[in-house]
Amino acid sequence: MKTPENATESENGTITSGENLSYWFSSAIKPLAFEKLNQNIDTDILVIGGGIAGLTTAYCLAKEGRKVILVEDGFIASGETGRTTAHITCALDDRYFELEKTFDEHTAQLVANSHMAAIEWIANTVKHHKINCHFKRVDGYLFLHPSDTKETLEKEYEATKRAGLITEMLNSVPSIAAEKGKWCLKFADQGQFHILFYLKGLASAFIKLGGEIYTQTKAGNITTHGAIANGFKVKANHIVVATNTPINDWVIMHTKQWPYRTYVIAAKVPKGKLPYALWWDTGDSSSKWIVKPYHYVRLEEFDEQYDLLIAGGEDHRTGQADDENIKEEDRYIKLEKWTKKHFPAIEAIEFKWSGQVLEPIDSLAYIGKNPDEDNIYIITGDSGNGMTHGTLGGMIITDIITGKENPWIKIYSPSRITLKTTGDYLHEVGNMVVQFGDWLTPEHIKKIDDLKPGEGGIISFGLKKIAAYRDQQNNLHAFSAVCPHLGGILHWNADEKTFDCPMHGSRFTNKGKVINGPALSDLKKI
């Protein structure tokens, strides 16, 4: 496995939010870092978050001549952007015919138009700034999960045509022998790239426009006047929170979207064996989760002899892997088995990692003004389309701040209420409430002495729940196992060596440091 310089910093969440390094970080040689903020500062616009959403927003606003500062508590893309598989597509996690039912036909058309515009924006930006990020135009293929029927593809085909997309029904899935003779829906002219190389180019372009970036700069105490970052005051007229999960909201947005964990493997495949393309199945209709887990696959350049086949899937609600009796670390085994069946040409598995996806209750991301605040904006709820949703975030927020008309502002508004999804909403709220039962549930770790080096777990100590981790040097680290957000009991993730909250997806390193919101503070040491 290849690792970047200072890879040991992955333990504290500085490089990336987990133990496993994605291929993007492993191939980037070293983290994309800038100076830390070390003084009070004034700006027109403060952008919090150095992923695709934050950098795109910062770049777009700087291009409009605005003074913009971006702060990131780790390095560039150290959040979920660096754990993506970087599909750039208008084929959404949720079907277009379902969007028509939830909203209406016109909204589905606007959604399709917005994602195609995001693809074009990325392509034009790569070309304009000559960003060497392996960007390619590729076709995408949606095929049936064994639990699904051809009717799904037929309805989606008709809906995509009504939405104005270029799609085609095929009677076989290209390059997948296991799906020979089975139908699929082709989405033409999609895209893919190396996300860290892309963000490096975008960051460079932003700085040339006069923008400023500060990494290892943690922002908090966000108000309509600015924020506190690294203990210094950042005064701003507008504040954009692009941190995947909003860190300025205690409850409202976290009852409108739900965290899921997703898994990825990357395997070598001889060059020329497979075309550069995107593949997705329609998802497991029999799954216990509201969001149907599906598989997603693409090819990426690797070296002179090999490409990498990157395959993802096996999703579950964050902190709830055991509800299916499949541990986080065992999800890769299932994923490898599925991938080998569909792409038998793959060889050694070179990389594995997992990521966190926020699933909005009505399928669409939340982009715009934070509810009840006129100058604080959020970008969240990217579902499985983070590359286009993050890009749209920059496009839409820039138009809001600069006062330009944009037909997408209303449909992505964080303040929207979608009554047709009430059933799913109540199901997910019920799931959240059930997690409070963990206060009474005995854990598999009975006592501290059961922990071996490199292991963690939740331990009952009287009425208290303790999150404990024993590092490789045999030092014990112990914290309160109560999530500081809303009091959920954390679960140990042995794969990424993190403590994960099953309620709203807050995550903490094995040393107790918060790496995913909505929690704002670290775990309390014991």
Side-chain angles (χ1 to χ4, degrees), residues 121-135 193 198:
W121 192 95
I122 291 170
N124 291 336
T125 301
V126 168
K127 182 178 180 180
H128 179 73
H129 292 291
K130 297 181 175 61
I131 302 175
N132 182 14
C133 59
H134 306 171
F135 177 80
F193 57 11
Y198 172 71

Side-chain angles (χ1 to χ4, degrees), residues 237-248:
N237 299 317
H238 302 273
I239 303 93
V240 182
V241 181
T243 53
N244 188 45
T245 182
I247 56 173
N248 57 313

Side-chain angles (χ1 to χ4, degrees), residues 65 121 129 157 167 170 198 221 270-271 282 300 341 360 415 421 428 440 442 481-482 493 504 506:
W121 192 95
H129 292 291
Y157 174 65
T167 56
L170 305 179
Y198 172 71
N221 300 107
K271 277 194 179 296
T282 55
E300 170 64 21
K341 176 183 175 182
S415 298
T421 58
E428 292 288 26
L440 305 175
V482 181
N493 180 337
H504 298 104
S506 296

Side-chain angles (χ1 to χ4, degrees), residues 328 454-458 469 490-494 497-500 510:
E328 286 92 346
E455 290 184 349
I458 308 299
Y469 172 72
L490 303 176
H491 285 232
W492 170 246
N493 180 337
K497 296 192 185 302
T498 57
F499 293 102
D500 301 349
N510 47 43

